[in-house]
Amino acid sequence: MAQETKNKLTQLLCQRIDQQGPLTIADFMYEALQHPKYGYYNRPHVLGQKGDFVTAPEISQIFGELIGLWMLERWQSMGEPQSFSLIELGPGRGTLLCDLLRAAQLMPAFLEAADVHLVESSANLREVQRKKLADFSPTWHNDITTLPQKPSLIVANEYFDALPIRQFAKLKANKWREVLVGSNDTSELGYIMSEEIDPLQIVALGASSSSLETHDFVEVSPATSAQATLLADHLKSAGGSALFIDYGYQQAEGYNSLQAVKDHQKHDPLYEVGTADLTAHVDFEQLTRCFSQRGMNTFGPVAQGAFLSALGLEARLNNLVQNASPSEERELRSGAERLVASEKMGDLFKVLAVSSSPQTPPGFPYPNQNN
Ligand code: SAH
């Protein structure tokens, strides 16, 4: 690769590696996504048809609307508190919340009681959210530590998959090394292996010992564990429920799930850093464990398709197509199909609910055993 083709963030990371040594994948992901000047989330148009990737709320309004109905039930099940926080983590373009709040017009008292709080790190996306959600006067937070102590209903779609992961590989029997990002003489980034490390350190970071026995490759997300623990403590003291929807697996599968997407196509994560979205699959076992260990009731994860169908996707679709033109009807039907079809998003995306109450929320068959 010629020197001039390397972008600024790649150059900055190479300088940092030269001075301080190789980066963990987590540090690399953090810089690539969050660097205040060159990080991916501070680019214009990251999300949506014109951006690099499309998320469920950008595909169909039904997604946010059904989550709105779910929130109405949760609010009722809490005894209809007259003041509560409606919180979204990583709201992107604000589309989910916009659709959710429209569906919530069914219960005006819910809207009156709701204070909207957004946890968002990107200055650029905050601007988009500010315009879209102006009627609801949201309050922004850099992270979850500043959320107010009020009953809370929380939603996060494709949030945890953006949080940094660390990767470890077993090269010989029980000899583990961490996958790191280094740079070569011509200032190109590449993967390198750390010195051998004690597998107990990987367990301490959140991996299960059984996945170290079964697999030669494991991923852990200390950032996910830290945030889930804070959220569990928040829900425990303030009361409420949360819904987490993400691309992920129910049990660690032992492969490298770090992926970069640019312009709706796969991209090399180490090339032109900061110009592509970077995600990793969410380990729902780890996520669920963080909540149940702090005394929260957990439900699922269930597949997104089953969840949305149980909440009435078909009925809402039939209702919407009644007033639609033929081309709108085609779009509505293909959007809904994309959310639920098992070969599209229906099975790959999972939904986990967490609550301070043991009562099973809509869309989930039964409480988890370890609650
Ligand atoms: N939920 C939206 C957007 C998903 S993209 C949707 O479904 O369309 C991920 C979102 O999380 C973006 O808004 C991004 O800026 C935000 N985000 C990522 N990491 C974050 C962090 N550590 N703290 C706060 N927000 C973060």
Side-chain angles (χ1 to χ4, degrees):
M1 201 196 307
Q3 183 72 38
E4 57 275 16
T5 64
K6 276 171 216 126
N7 70 359
K8 191 75 189 153
L9 188 52
T10 309
Q11 290 172 25
L12 288 175
L13 289 180
C14 286
Q15 277 166 16
R16 180 169 154 190
I17 291 167
D18 285 348
Q19 286 159 8
Q20 298 168 16
L23 301 171
T24 62
I25 297 288
D27 289 341
F28 168 76
M29 270 182 94
Y30 185 80
E31 292 296 329
L33 291 172
Q34 309 281 0
H35 188 281
K37 194 152 173 207
Y38 304 111
Y40 177 71
Y41 285 126
N42 280 312
R43 293 172 79 79
H45 306 305
V46 297
L47 269 155
Q49 302 292 351
K50 283 198 223 140
D52 294 297
F53 63 105
V54 180
T55 56
E58 303 294 334
I59 291 172
S60 170
Q61 68 183 79
I62 301 176
F63 186 77
E65 290 171 347
L66 294 176
I67 292 174
L69 301 185
W70 192 90
M71 292 295 176
L72 292 181
E73 190 280 341
R74 291 282 84 195
W75 179 65
Q76 289 182 307
S77 82
M78 284 198 286
E80 307 192 358
Q82 290 192 352
S83 177
F84 75 97
S85 305
L86 180 62
I87 300 162
E88 184 170 1
L89 313 179
R93 292 169 18 127
T95 309
L96 191 164
L97 215 47
C98 204
D99 295 334
L100 183 162
L101 288 160
R102 193 179 53 254
Q105 285 171 2
L106 284 171
M107 282 188 205
F110 172 97
L111 290 177
E112 255 164 54
D115 285 331
V116 175
H117 292 269
L118 308 176
V119 176
E120 176 57 70
S121 54
S122 152
N124 215 16
L125 286 170
R126 280 186 184 204
E127 264 320 288
V128 181
Q129 295 153 15
R130 199 172 58 79
K131 291 195 183 112
K132 189 94 152 247
L133 298 165
D135 290 349
F136 302 97
S137 314
T139 306
W140 280 269
H141 301 261
N142 290 330
D143 58 51
I144 49 198
T145 57
T146 51
L147 292 174
Q149 275 297 313
K150 266 192 199 175
S152 299
L153 294 177
I154 305 173
V155 62
N157 183 59
E158 294 211 42
Y159 174 73
F160 285 108
D161 71 355
L163 298 188
I165 54 154
R166 289 174 68 169
Q167 297 184 323
F168 299 89
K170 181 161 59 178
L171 299 181
K172 281 192 234 140
N174 219 24
K175 305 256 186 258
W176 287 87
R177 289 168 193 263
E178 180 159 12
V179 182
L180 302 172
V181 176
S183 70
N184 65 12
D185 296 346
T186 55
S187 292
E188 281 160 3
L189 296 171
Y191 298 108
I192 56 169
M193 288 295 176
S194 74
E195 296 293 308
E196 193 186 326
I197 56 167
D198 183 344
L200 286 177
Q201 276 182 32
I202 311 173
V203 174
L205 288 170
S208 68
S209 351
S210 67
S211 72
L212 292 193
E213 277 160 31
T214 328
H215 301 299
D216 295 338
F217 191 92
V218 297
E219 294 182 339
V220 290
S221 175
T224 295
S225 304
Q227 295 211 24
T229 303
L230 285 170
L231 284 167
D233 290 346
H234 174 79
L235 285 173
K236 202 168 173 179
S237 58
S241 299
L243 198 59
F244 304 121
I245 307 130
D246 240 303
Y247 190 8
Y249 45 83
Q250 222 137 335
Q251 252 176 359
E253 283 164 354
Y255 57 80
N256 174 1
S257 79
L258 180 70
Q259 75 168 14
V261 171
K262 184 175 179 175
D263 209 4
H264 306 272
Q265 306 283 327
K266 283 208 167 168
H267 185 84
D268 175 351
L270 300 188
Y271 180 61
E272 292 185 333
V273 183
T275 65
D277 184 38
L278 270 187
T279 57
H281 295 181
V282 172
D283 180 347
F284 274 93
E285 193 192 4
Q286 182 202 359
L287 188 61
T288 310
R289 198 171 348 112
C290 291
F291 284 100
S292 53
Q293 274 173 353
R294 308 293 278 197
M296 281 291 100
N297 300 285
T298 61
F299 307 87
V302 294
Q304 171 174 294
F307 175 73
L308 295 175
S309 300
L311 290 185
L313 175 126
E314 196 64 33
R316 179 62 183 140
L317 178 63
N318 289 335
N319 186 283
L320 282 171
V321 297
Q322 272 173 15
N323 301 315
S325 67
S327 74
E328 284 167 348
E329 175 170 350
R330 270 197 304 280
E331 206 174 308
L332 283 163
R333 288 197 186 282
S334 78
E337 141 96 7
R338 214 168 141 188
L339 296 184
V340 295
S342 56
E343 74 283 9
K344 296 183 177 150
M345 295 171 82
D347 277 349
L348 294 172
F349 280 77
K350 312 253 181 312
V351 189
L352 173 72
V354 172
S355 183
S356 56
S357 142
Q359 195 194 345
T360 305
F364 293 88
Y366 41 74
N368 289 337
Q369 297 285 311
N370 55 358
N371 282 329

